[in-house]
Amino acid sequence: MVLDRQGYDDLIMYLTQNLALFEKPGEIKPGAPTVMELIEDVIAQNVMLICEQHTNLNTEQRSQIVREVDGIVYDLQEVLSSITSQPVTVEQHAFIDEFAGLIKNLFDNAVTQTA
């Protein structure tokens, strides 16, 4: 659906261009989740939004979205493996929110094109 498209390659390139955000210290709010907890939470919220907004998706399409999102989370975990258990900084939080939104956009576009 999206993993084999140019948009996903561009998204990974965007991540690599912003890796410095994950290599420097920053402000951490009290009670901040770990980087991986935030990634999983924000992406899961966006997957639920995709399924809610595209009511015409059948079970197979929903399953494909979940499988591909699992692959994306795995890729993120691999790239960020050295810091996934650290508390997320304010800057990292903003980037992860934006990145998850871009993932959602990729799926929204793919769903729209297959409709």
Side-chain angles (χ1 to χ4, degrees), residues 24-36:
K24 64 181 182 178
E27 178 188 354
I28 298 172
K29 290 187 177 180
T34 66
V35 170
M36 200 65 221

Side-chain angles (χ1 to χ4, degrees), residues 1-17:
M1 186 171 274
V2 301
L3 294 181
D4 59 352
R5 298 211 176 155
Q6 181 63 42
Y8 184 67
D9 294 340
D10 294 342
L11 191 62
I12 294 302
M13 181 63 71
Y14 180 62
L15 171 64
T16 59
Q17 291 169 346

Side-chain angles (χ1 to χ4, degrees), residues 1 56-66 111 114-115:
M1 186 171 274
N56 58 330
L57 290 172
N58 61 40
T59 303
E60 184 179 325
Q61 291 168 317
R62 290 172 191 264
S63 295
Q64 183 178 6
I65 290 169
V66 170
V111 168
T114 60

